[in-house]
Amino acid sequence: GALGGLGLGLGLWRRRAAMAAGEEEEEEERLRRRFMAPPVSGLRELRRRRRELRSRMELLIMETQAEVCRALAAVDPGAAFAVDTWERKEGGGGISCVLQDGDVFEKAGVNVSVVFGQLSEEAARQMRSRGKTLKASADGKLPFCAMGVSSVIHPKNPHVPTMHFNYRYFEIEEADGTKQWWFGGGTDLTPTYLNEEDAVHFHKTLKEACDKHDPKLYPKYKKWCDDYFFIKHRGERRGIGGIFFDDLDSPSKEEVFQFVQSCAKAIVPCYIPIVKKHCHDAFTPEEKQWQQLRRGRYVEFNLVYDRGTKFGLLTPGSRIESILMSLPLTARWEYMHTPPESSREAEILEVLRNPKDWVH
C-alpha cells in the first residue's frame, strides 16, 4: 500500500513537473512576444537569476524598448523598425531597433545593450575623474557589467521636438570582491520651436514620476539636466531639458531601481501626446532649415561632450553604429547664422541660454 501511495505521489509530482515545464515554456513564449528580440542574457538565465537586480534591470530595459518602439510605430504606421541583434566578442551584446525615413520620424532608434568584461584603462580613467575610487587587482583588471536602454527620436516635422532618453545600470567588481554599483539616466526634450504647453506637459509628467519617490528629486535632476546638456562653446543648452542623474547609489539598490522604473514608465506619456498633437502641422522650408541648424547643435553636443558617446567610443569591441545612432539623418551648419530679433527662432534661443522652470 505504501509503495502504491509512492507511485501515486510520483505520478502526481511528474504531472506537476510537466505542468510547470509547460507553464515555463508559455511564460518564455509570452516574454518573447513582448520584447523586440530575445534578451542578451537569454530568458532561462534571467529567470534563474530573477531575484538579482541585474536580471530585473535587463527585463526593465527590454520592456522599455518594446513599449517605446510600439508607441512610435503606432504613430508612424507606414514605417517599420529594423531589429538588429549584435554580439560583442569581449562579452555581451545588444539589440538595436532603428526606424528610418518614416512619414513622422526621420530617424528613431531605441537600443538595448548588456555588456560585460574588463573595464578598459581609458574608461576606468574617465570614471576616476568623476571621483570613483576603483581598486583594480594586481594585473590591473576590473570586471564590469553595464546595461542600459537609450533612444534618440528625430522627427521630420520641425514642430515635433526631438526626444532622448537613457536609463542604465553599472556594476564593477574590485580586487577584494566588493561590488560598486550605480544607476544613471534621464529623459530630455529638444524642440526646434518653443511651445510652452508642450514644455509644461513634458516636465509635469517627469515631475510626477519623481514625486512618487521624493519631491526633492525633480528640482535636483531638472537642474542637473540643464547643466549637463550644455554646449559650452555655444553658451546654450541642447534643449529645454527634463531630468538627468548619474552615479545614483542610495538610499538602497531596490529604491533606486523602483525610481528608475517610474522614470522609464513616464517616457511614452511625456512624449507621444506631443508627437500626435503636431505631426500633421504645416511647416515652411524656412522652418525646416531652422530645424536642420538646431540638429547641427545636437551633433556638436553628442560628439564633443556626451559622456555616453565617449564611453562607448572608448570601450573595445563596442558597436559604433549603435553609439552614433543618436545622430540625425540630416543636419546643417551655416556660417554665422543669427535669427532675426523677436522671431520664433530667437525665442527658443533665449530659453536655451536661460533655462526656465516649467512646473512648480
Side-chain angles (χ1 to χ4, degrees), residues 94-164:
I95 302 146
S96 298
C97 297
V98 182
L99 183 158
Q100 246 170 205
D101 248 338
D103 294 326
V104 176
F105 303 110
E106 194 170 288
K107 187 175 175 197
V110 191
N111 286 352
V112 153
S113 66
V114 179
V115 298
F116 47 86
Q118 303 299 330
L119 205 59
S120 74
E121 202 33 66
E122 290 104 313
R125 201 176 304 127
Q126 199 192 331
M127 285 175 184
R128 288 193 180 104
S129 74
R130 326 206 290 272
K132 294 261 170 240
T133 49
L134 303 172
K135 299 185 281 289
S137 56
D139 55 5
K141 283 195 171 22
L142 272 168
F144 83 99
C145 161
M147 61 177 71
V149 57
S150 67
S151 170
V152 176
I153 298 152
H154 293 292
K156 280 203 162 151
N157 193 314
H159 300 296
V160 182
T162 282
M163 197 265 281
H164 155 260

Side-chain angles (χ1 to χ4, degrees), residues 34-36 62-76 79-83 95-99 105 108-112 149-151 153 165 267-268 272:
R34 212 162 82 201
F35 299 149
M36 300 301 284
M62 293 296 299
E63 267 166 29
T64 304
Q65 181 184 47
E67 200 177 298
V68 174
C69 286
R70 289 191 183 118
L72 296 173
V75 183
D76 200 347
F81 274 96
V83 179
I95 302 146
S96 298
C97 297
V98 182
L99 183 158
F105 303 110
V110 191
N111 286 352
V112 153
V149 57
S150 67
S151 170
I153 298 152
F165 72 83
I267 294 161
V268 169
I272 296 296

Side-chain angles (χ1 to χ4, degrees), residues 51 69 81 85 148 164 354 356:
R51 286 191 179 79
C69 286
F81 274 96
T85 56
H164 155 260
N354 304 294
K356 272 180 74 164

